[in-house]
Amino acid sequence: MSREPVKVILGADAMLQRATGIGVYARSLAQHLQQIPHISSLRLFANGLFLDDEVLLADPINKGDATNPDKNQPELTARLRLAGIMRATLANLPGVAALYKAVMPSIERLRLSPFKDHIFHSPNYLVPHFDGKNVVTFHDLSIQQYPEFHPAPRVRLLGQEMERSAVVADHVITDTELVRGEVIRFYGLSPEKVTSVPLAASPWFMPRTEQECSGVLKRFNLRYKAFFLFASTIEPRKNIRRICEAYRDLRKSTKVEYPLIFVGAPGWSSESEHSDIQELESRGWGRYLEYVDTDILSKLYSAAAAVVFPSIYEGFGLPALEAQQSGTPVITTAGSAMSEFSAPHDILVNPYEVSDIRDAMQTIVGRKGAPVGADEHPASPGHDLSWEKTALLTAELYARL
């Protein structure tokens, strides 16, 4: 059955910065929406400007690295670069944030006024001031439920703006059923107004042999399936201090020699987390590789004995799915968003219990197993997830508005 053509404007502010989960989501969604026949027009909009989709939608695997826009996008103008940097810091600066809040509505309304026949989809919490139909994606309610993990100005600004977005949006998308329920309850929304559309991992994340990982293993002096990996932003919400404590307990009580490797950009208020990581490094027990590109990350995932990701709170937990798709078990949080797609070889723990995390690591060491191929567990919910499916479900939602 043919559908009516749909014109879409996609918020692209997350594409202007070094990609974390939201940046990967926005870029992947945009790439795959382009392939859907009834999406007759797709425009990208950020910081009051329409962007060049040919620059921002480059294939992250074949044409560059999706996690490092600076490598792929030399054509980005200086004003867009500056806009992206400013947007990333505004929420932490009370005076500038207030000015941004006062000025941007007029700029958005002026720029978007000729496009009222489009649907505007913000993949990053905040809908613009736009007189057409709006869709917004709420990835989590972290600032509402765990404000202590965020700067106070960000909590105030985003809290107010997310409430406005929840009210004025024609539809709200969440990544998981867990967050869908949270959004419905917190904002008092009709269940029909909120839909969960799961994320996906890039096909670049796949099981790899020791030979395929050999270059990365040699570079970082690691052994195949003989190290633990943490891959996410270094910040309090990720539970890094308990991970480090659990690992210290493991090393003190056993002769395990699996190092604990940390990958990720520094986050807000992470001094204590970095101090714990440095203490492990000083003993020769751990290493901090900072931010690595997709190619290196994919091989670290495949080569790790397990990914340790018992986060306090996640809206989805993309590192857990990337690890699962790489054939690597995940130690993650019971009852969390990650548990919605956990595989049989994953271990679910209480994130507040250091002993749970330590025992899970000990279990992984005892397995001494080969990588698990994604096709070996077709019943795992994560097996059926793809960015094509994410885009298709999203496009079907647009068509219903």
Side-chain angles (χ1 to χ4, degrees):
M1 183 178 71
S2 63
R3 295 182 180 273
E4 290 293 320
V6 177
K7 299 177 181 179
V8 178
I9 301 172
L10 187 68
D13 54 284
M15 298 185 197
L16 298 178
Q17 304 161 29
R18 175 176 278 180
T20 55
I22 297 175
V24 171
Y25 166 66
R27 186 181 302 276
S28 299
L29 180 62
Q31 289 171 339
H32 291 92
L33 284 174
Q34 285 189 318
Q35 311 304 317
I36 296 177
H38 73 272
I39 303 298
S40 62
S41 173
L42 179 66
R43 298 171 181 267
L44 302 178
F45 184 84
N47 303 305
L49 299 168
F50 283 97
L51 310 183
D52 180 357
D53 62 330
E54 293 302 320
V55 171
L56 289 173
L57 299 183
D59 183 335
I61 301 304
N62 297 319
K63 298 180 182 177
D65 172 20
T67 66
N68 190 347
D70 288 340
K71 287 171 63 177
N72 299 336
Q73 300 159 16
E75 301 91 341
L76 279 179
T77 62
R79 63 177 179 168
L80 286 179
R81 245 180 235 285
L82 181 61
I85 294 169
M86 289 177 62
R87 174 65 180 265
T89 57
L90 280 174
N92 298 339
L93 303 173
V96 181
L99 178 63
Y100 181 90
K101 184 178 178 182
V103 171
M104 281 308 294
S106 297
I107 296 174
E108 291 170 346
R109 190 168 281 116
L110 177 65
R111 295 282 188 177
L112 294 170
S113 60
F115 301 96
K116 295 177 184 178
D117 60 338
H118 287 56
I119 293 172
F120 192 104
H121 180 182
S122 170
N124 195 13
Y125 297 100
L126 308 182
V127 298
H129 292 76
F130 174 55
D131 294 328
K133 291 188 179 297
N134 277 295
V135 173
V136 65
T137 300
F138 281 2
H139 298 280
D140 58 51
L141 292 187
S142 178
I143 66 164
Q144 292 85 353
Q145 303 212 48
Y146 296 93
E148 67 272 21
F149 292 149
H150 302 276
R154 181 192 301 168
V155 172
R156 288 193 295 270
L157 176 64
L158 289 185
Q160 294 168 2
E161 290 300 304
M162 284 179 68
E163 184 171 6
R164 185 189 77 85
S165 295
V167 172
V168 305
D170 295 279
H171 207 85
V172 179
I173 294 174
T174 65
D175 302 338
T176 58
E177 281 296 314
L178 183 144
V179 177
R180 177 176 179 267
E182 292 176 346
V183 168
I184 290 169
R185 290 189 296 272
F186 188 86
Y187 293 108
L189 301 181
S190 164
E192 290 74 26
K193 185 177 177 176
V194 188
T195 301
S196 66
V197 177
L199 308 187
S202 165
W204 197 242
F205 298 106
M206 67 182 81
R208 298 174 191 266
T209 65
E210 182 173 359
Q211 180 61 36
E212 290 173 309
C213 300
S214 60
V216 167
L217 293 171
K218 183 176 181 181
R219 174 177 173 179
F220 297 117
N221 192 28
L222 298 170
R223 293 182 295 120
Y224 189 69
K225 294 299 175 184
F227 65 92
F228 294 107
L229 176 67
F230 171 92
S232 191
T233 305
I234 308 299
E235 60 183 350
R237 178 164 60 96
K238 306 299 182 179
N239 210 22
I240 291 167
R241 302 207 67 189
R242 289 190 184 88
I243 292 172
C244 290
E245 184 179 353
Y247 182 77
R248 286 195 298 268
D249 287 353
L250 178 70
R251 291 296 296 253
K252 290 174 182 177
S253 62
T254 69
K255 295 182 178 180
V256 171
E257 295 185 359
Y258 288 23
L260 177 55
I261 308 302
F262 293 87
V263 170
W268 174 78
S269 191
S270 58
E271 293 82 5
S272 296
E273 284 71 20
H274 283 285
S275 178
D276 281 358
I277 294 170
Q278 289 166 6
E279 193 268 340
L280 293 182
E281 288 183 307
S282 71
R283 296 187 180 203
W285 290 357
R287 292 182 60 190
Y288 178 39
L289 306 184
E290 299 186 14
Y291 196 91
V292 301
D293 65 30
T294 302
D295 181 60
I296 292 174
L297 179 61
S298 66
K299 289 166 183 169
L300 288 171
Y301 273 139
S302 293
V307 167
V308 186
F309 195 61
S311 181
I312 298 298
Y313 179 79
E314 296 290 329
F316 186 83
L318 201 53
L321 184 62
E322 291 170 344
Q324 182 189 121
Q325 193 167 290
S326 302
T328 297
V330 184
I331 298 170
T332 194
T333 305
S336 67
M338 289 83 75
S339 66
E340 290 187 19
F341 56 82
S342 63
H345 57 277
D346 295 336
I347 303 176
L348 303 181
V349 300
N350 181 337
Y352 296 101
E353 292 291 341
V354 171
S355 60
D356 264 21
I357 302 170
R358 179 203 63 214
D359 292 348
M361 291 182 177
Q362 181 64 65
T363 297
I364 293 295
V365 172
R367 287 181 181 176
K368 298 180 180 178
V372 181
D375 58 347
E376 293 181 37
H377 289 300
S380 301
H383 180 79
D384 293 327
L385 301 182
S386 69
W387 286 118
E388 291 84 357
K389 182 176 182 178
T390 301
L392 183 60
L393 293 172
T394 304
E396 288 175 353
L397 188 152
Y398 296 157
R400 298 199 302 268
L401 297 180

